[in-house]
Each structure stands twice: as structure tokens, then as C-alpha cells.
Amino acid sequence: MARKKRVGLGRLVRNAFVAVFLLVLFAAGIVAGIVAAYSRNLPDISRMADYQPDKATQIFARDGTQLASVYKENRVWVPISQIPKVVQEAVIANEDHNFYQHHGVDFGGIVRAVFADLTHQRIQGASTITQQLARKLFLSDEVSISRKIQEALLAMEIERYYTKDEILERYLNLVYLGSGAYGVDAAAHTYFGRSLKNLTLGEAAMLAGVIAAPSDYSPFVDLDLAKSRQQHVLQRMVESGYITQDQADAAAQAPLGLIGERSPGLQGYLDPYFTTYIIEQLNELFGSQAVQEGGLQVYTTLDPKLDKIAQEAIDWGVQHAISEGINAHQAALVSIRPSTGEIVAMIGGTNFSLTNQFNRAWQARRQPGSSFKAYVYTAAIDNGMSPTSIMEDTPVAYPMGDGTNWSPQDDDFSYMGAITLRRALAFSRNIVAVKLADQIGIDKVIEYAHNMGIQSPLEANLSLALGSSVVSVLDQASGYQTLANQGVHIEPVGLKLVKDSFGNTVLDNQYPEATDVLSAGTAFIMTSMLEDVIAYGTGTNANIGRPEAGKTGTTSDFRDAWFVGFTPDLVTAVWLGNDDYTRMNESFGGNIPARIWARYMSAALATTPKHDFTVPTDEVARMSCPGGTDYYLIANATNCRTLALHPTSRSSVDALPPAAASPLPVSTSSPPPPSPSSQPSFGPDTSETP
């Protein structure tokens, strides 16, 4: 009987075992079937190797300051070798502390998460870093069993074909960290204003804490909650053995280097007038898609300190124009290094905003007035004339072809009679400039202007000598750069170096092309004549007490006022006016524009030693010639006696006093030149356009 019971019990156990085995086998079959079914529809993970996410284009100033990030998604891809260990460890400790042990799915983590949920403990995430990556690359954020199964299967496949470093690199560059930042490097710039390599332990922990819920845990949203998350991450790092408790406590107490939240896109740009100019250039060169998605690294020529000084000077000038009743509400400035063509400052107006983005420094085209005369005189000097050449400042009329005549006039409606070119330029005599252009040929004047840097189209009529064709502020700075650089023209450069997202150089302007367009002797003689404009002519308000040259410009209808000038180290063009071409109240180039120029240049060159313009002694000499004593091109000098060069920076004025500049008498209507030591005047520059 007992034996029968044992046999029956054994049969029952065997039957139960068989039933369990069959049940397990059946369940395994079901699971295998499900896996097989889902596996057939899984995305091809080999695409992960070729996946190129949208990357932000970063634009930097010459000192490394990030001016802007242009993007659809604000992301900068950083290789794992350049992501600090502290950042990697903070993320791993918080998101997936068994990352280096599992094979895509952390089954222990799943069990712990379920248990924590059932016992109402702190919720723990069950998705590994690999699963999160699989979801980001191949799946949606749909909450469903099927999506979780696909996620787990993809994670295991990814782990079969990719190394842990490859997986972590992609995750850290793709993850969203709030405030528009994708990837840890973009987040470092967004929250702390610097690159990953400079983050502290506490800052790395804060970034890691944001990942779980960026819209809640961003320090820009709730700093207290972000700090709480930071402490949570630090504790997880202690538990994972990455740091000690003392290090965690110190990091939690350390101050965070948070920057103020910058507005996204255009409103967040630093030095916005220059930055938007650069973005426009990038769009033209590479296309808008490459700029917004390609992750270009753009290194520019901007000097943020000088740009700040320039903006202050422009704002100051416009405020004074309003308070002094001049009725001018906008101004612009461009500043260039003459030896390199680098644009170091560009201000396109006052109060840049979403509704005031127009960049008057390069987008506006305005009449330059008498500041255009520099090209007329340069053509004359380069074609055999000299500063002592005589022109008649007397009435003249030119037939217009419609039966009428055009007679250029000066603001004072007077005539100075026979006058040297040097004196005529210093006092901006319109009739002399027109006669000079007529004598040289207007086509030749246009040729010189274009060769020297003017990009805008120029109309071939004699009124061009008085600045009747429109140009940009950037044009004028470019044209005068040729004189400041001893006759060598370099196109203005804003982009210095551009690299693609892989670090390959796609544009290199570090050594821009230089073109000899004038002899160094011609450039020097013109510089010496333009020095007189500031020393005793129409530009005395621009005097900053160092070697400097420049030219005023005022249109006859008072709609545009200019001062364009340079020292051996810096070329700067300034424009003042109104966007709607409203007439100003007698705003001469020698007044507000010259004062803006002086204010900017004084501050910009405050730490630059004073030094003279270079004298090309093999091409030019100070001579006593039949026409008078002045600087002459040696090749053109006949019956002349060479004199010693004057040792001071004001060589042209000191060697040739204003009162003695013309060997012939002048009419009594000529205004007497002020002494170089006199106080600056705010009077007119006597320049005019028809």
C-alpha cells in the first residue's frame, strides 16, 4: 500500500514537472514568437554608424567668446575622448550605473524598478542608456508594451555591434538637457557659458540631473529643484564609487557658474550687428541648411572690446545729435585693421532688436558726400599731379544735355581762386574736386574707387566727385584701408576660419589676398593731405592727438553726414542720418560723425603706442620744387631740391604751414585756417553734393 502511494506520488510529480516544462516551453515559444515577430520589423541598426544629427553652427569672436549658436537643434558634437570623465561618470551614475556590466538591458534594474513601484519607494528608471539611445534613434516616445519590447531588442542588438564608448558618445551628444540644448557640450555653453572641459564636478552633476525631466529640472526653470537633483546625482556618484562623500559635499556647496539665460536664436546673439552680418555671409557661402544643421565652427575677426566701445560711441553720438537739435536718429560704424583687412568692429545702428535688425553698416547705401573726394584726389596724385598742383576755385558750368547747365557750389558760396590741391582737399572745395574729376576723366575716378575697395555701382557723371552715388559704410572703410595700408588693398574680412563638424577646414582667410592698387608713395602723399583735414581743415573735431588722417562728408540736403579716417593701426568709417532720409538740421560730417570717430578711436587705441605713418623713402621725398615745398613722388619730380624729412608725426603740416600751402595768393573770401593748437570747432565742413 505504501509502495502504491509512493508510485502515485512519483507519477504526480513527474506529471507536474512535465506540465511545468510544457508550460515554460509554451511560454518560451510565445516569447520567441513575439521576439521573432518584433525582430522582423526592427530598424536596421547599421544606420546608427551613418546617423548625422542636426548640429548647431557656433560663431566665435577673435578672443574665443561665443557670439552665437545657429541651429534647428542646438547641438555641438563632441567625441568621447573630449568629454571629461566627470561628465561621463555623472551621467552613468544617475542614468545607468550598471552601464559597463549589462548587454543592453539591465534585468536587475527592471526588477528593482518594479519592486520599488510596488512598495511605493522612490521611482527608479528601468531603461538603460543603450535603450534610451535606441528609442531616440529609431523609435517614438509612445508608451506601450510593444515599444518597450522593440526598445529592449534594439538595445541588445546595438550592444552586439558597438562598443560602450561608441554608445555613450552618441548618447551624450543626442540627449536633450533643456533650454534648447541638445548634447552635453551645448548644455555646458547654455548654462555655464563655457565648454565641457572647464566644468566642475558640481556643474557636471547638475547637467546629469537635468536629463530625467529637462522642463522641470533646468536651473533656468527652478534653481532649487535643480540643486536638489544635483545633490541626488552626487550621491549616486558616491554609491557608484566615482567620488567620495567629502567630494560630493564640497561640490554641493560650491557656487555654480550659471550665466543668465540667453534668449534663443537672434535675441541671444552677442554683438548682433556683426554676428548677423557673418550669418548672412555663411548662408551665401554654404547655404542655410549647412549653417542651421551642419555644425560649422566659425572663427571671426571681431574684437568684442572694440565692438562694445563702438556701440557706446554710436549711442553717444545719436543721443547728442538729438539733444543738440540736429534731428539724426541713426548712425553706423565699421572699423578695420589696415594691415590685415580684419573687421574688428561693426555697428549697424542703435537699439538692435527683433524689429530693428537693419544693419546700416553694410546693408544701407547712402551718399558719401565729400568723403568720396579721397578717390578723386588719389587718382590725380597717382597720375602725375602733386599736392602743390594749382586748380582754379572759380565758377564753372557744365552742359547737362537738356539745354541746362550744372554749376557746382560750396556751402559758403564763395571762391578761393587759384589754390593747391592740398589746401582744396583740406577745406573740401567742391568746384576743385569737380574740375579735377573732369580733367582726370570720370571713368578713371570710378576705376580707382573700385580698385581701392568700393563695391557699390558708381554712376559716371561729374557729380560723382561730390559723392552723388550711394555706397555703404563698409565700402568707405574698405576704400580708405588701401591708403592706410600703403596702397595695398585687402578685402574686408569678417570670417577668419571655418571648419566643418569633423574639424576639416572649409574656409581659410587667415592670410587674405593682398593687391597692390597704388604706389606706396601715392598712398603716403594722400595720407599727408588727409592729415591736414584734421589738423586745420574741416575735420578738426576728429583730432585725438596722434598721427591721423581722414575726410568729412556732408550732402547738400543734409540727409547724410560722414567721417572716414585712419591711423597707422585702425581705419574707421562713421555715418549719421535717418532711415527715412529725413533732412537733418545742418549736420556736417565735421560735427557729430567726427566726434563719434574721435570718441571711438581714442578708446580703441588707448593702449596702442603712438607712431608715425611709414614714409616710403624710395618713392617719395620732401622737396622744394617750382610749385612749392611739399611731398612729391620722386619719379615725377623735376628741377626739385630734396629736403630733410621732418621728424614729427605731423610732417606734412609742420613742413608746410597752412598759410604757406599755396605759393599763389588766395581770395579774401577764404576762411583762415585755425592753428593746430586751437580748440576743435563744430562748424561746417563746406562739402556738398548736387
Side-chain angles (χ1 to χ4, degrees), residues 480 484 524 526-536 539-551 563-570 594 597-599 601-602 605 610-613 649-653 676 680:
Y480 278 63
F524 175 78
M526 276 302 303
T527 297
S528 77
M529 294 169 68
L530 292 170
E531 284 185 280
D532 288 355
V533 173
I534 296 176
Y536 67 84
T540 54
N541 280 320
N543 196 324
I544 58 174
R546 63 166 65 222
E548 55 195 327
K551 185 69 186 77
F563 189 85
V564 189
F566 56 93
T567 70
D569 304 290
L570 212 54
W597 187 92
R599 187 177 183 88
M601 294 289 277
S602 293
L605 298 171
K610 299 178 184 179
H611 58 99
D612 298 338
F613 292 105
S649 62
R650 287 294 314 129
S651 53
S652 58
V653 173

Side-chain angles (χ1 to χ4, degrees), residues 35-312:
V35 170
Y38 281 106
S39 295
R40 283 195 297 269
N41 298 320
L42 287 179
D44 181 6
I45 65 165
S46 65
R47 289 187 295 134
M48 195 172 98
D50 301 322
Y51 176 71
Q52 293 295 322
D54 293 346
K55 302 170 189 174
T57 286
Q58 292 183 304
I59 302 174
F60 300 96
R62 66 189 302 124
D63 65 355
T65 300
Q66 182 174 317
L67 299 174
S69 188
V70 185
Y71 52 82
K72 283 187 176 178
E73 289 186 352
N74 183 16
R75 177 187 292 107
V76 179
W77 195 275
V78 182
I80 194 67
S81 60
Q82 295 179 22
I83 300 177
K85 281 293 184 183
V86 67
V87 176
Q88 298 181 39
E89 292 167 354
V91 172
I92 290 171
N94 193 55
E95 293 297 314
D96 183 5
H97 76 279
N98 287 327
F99 175 68
Y100 287 108
Q101 284 74 48
H102 64 65
H103 298 287
V105 178
D106 185 359
F107 294 103
I110 294 174
V111 172
R112 287 192 299 272
V114 171
F115 181 76
D117 187 36
L118 292 174
T119 56
H120 306 291
Q121 297 179 25
R122 185 179 61 196
I123 296 175
Q124 299 183 24
S127 292
T128 65
I129 282 175
T130 315
Q131 286 176 271
Q132 293 180 52
L133 180 62
R135 185 192 318 146
K136 172 67 177 176
L137 290 176
F138 303 111
L139 302 172
S140 69
D141 288 328
E142 174 193 0
V143 179
S144 67
I145 296 296
S146 61
R147 199 269 296 162
K148 292 297 292 183
I149 293 172
Q150 287 181 313
E151 179 185 292
L153 293 174
L154 281 170
M156 289 186 286
E157 277 293 291
I158 289 172
E159 293 267 354
R160 287 179 59 196
Y161 291 99
Y162 295 93
T163 67
K164 290 291 187 179
D165 279 354
E166 289 173 330
I167 294 168
L168 187 60
E169 177 182 298
R170 284 164 173 77
Y171 177 80
L172 292 175
N173 281 288
L174 291 172
V175 66
Y176 181 61
L177 290 108
S179 298
Y182 291 81
V184 289
D185 190 75
H189 282 287
T190 297
Y191 293 121
F192 307 109
R194 53 184 182 275
S195 63
L196 280 173
K197 63 182 180 181
N198 297 320
L199 294 187
T200 65
L201 170 59
E203 291 164 350
M206 177 162 284
L207 286 188
V210 169
I211 294 174
S215 60
D216 297 325
Y217 298 151
S218 165
F220 292 155
V221 174
D222 189 330
L223 183 57
D224 291 337
L225 190 55
K227 284 287 294 181
S228 175
R229 288 292 299 171
Q230 176 204 44
Q231 294 175 11
H232 166 71
V233 173
L234 290 169
Q235 199 57 45
R236 294 294 296 269
M237 293 179 75
V238 172
E239 295 168 2
S240 298
Y242 292 129
I243 60 174
T244 65
Q245 188 63 54
D246 287 343
Q247 289 174 313
D249 293 341
Q253 296 300 319
L256 287 170
L258 286 170
I259 60 174
E261 184 174 10
R262 283 169 62 174
S263 301
L266 181 66
Q267 292 176 289
Y269 295 167
L270 299 181
D271 302 290
Y273 283 115
F274 177 82
T275 300
T276 51
Y277 165 71
I278 289 297
I279 292 172
E280 181 65 25
Q281 285 198 313
L282 292 171
N283 286 334
E284 290 182 6
L285 288 168
F286 305 108
S288 59
Q289 183 175 358
V291 174
Q292 293 186 17
E293 303 173 16
L296 301 177
Q297 299 291 295
V298 182
Y299 303 91
T300 73
T301 60
L302 185 81
D303 187 325
K305 293 180 180 178
L306 297 190
D307 205 62
K308 182 179 180 181
I309 293 170
Q311 185 68 71
E312 188 277 334

Side-chain angles (χ1 to χ4, degrees), residues 435-500:
K435 287 184 175 180
L436 201 55
D438 186 37
Q439 180 175 321
I440 300 165
I442 197 65
D443 289 337
K444 188 174 288 292
V445 171
I446 291 174
E447 178 185 354
Y448 271 80
H450 281 155
N451 288 343
M452 290 172 67
I454 299 296
Q455 298 289 329
S456 302
L458 300 172
E459 296 181 8
N461 55 63
L462 288 178
S463 65
L464 176 65
L466 306 182
S468 60
S469 285
V470 294
V471 299
S472 70
V473 180
L474 181 59
D475 275 347
Q476 286 293 75
S478 177
Y480 278 63
Q481 175 273 335
T482 302
L483 296 175
N485 197 33
Q486 303 178 70
V488 178
H489 180 66
I490 301 174
E491 286 296 318
V493 176
L495 292 169
K496 193 171 185 179
L497 188 69
V498 180
K499 295 184 178 183
D500 64 19

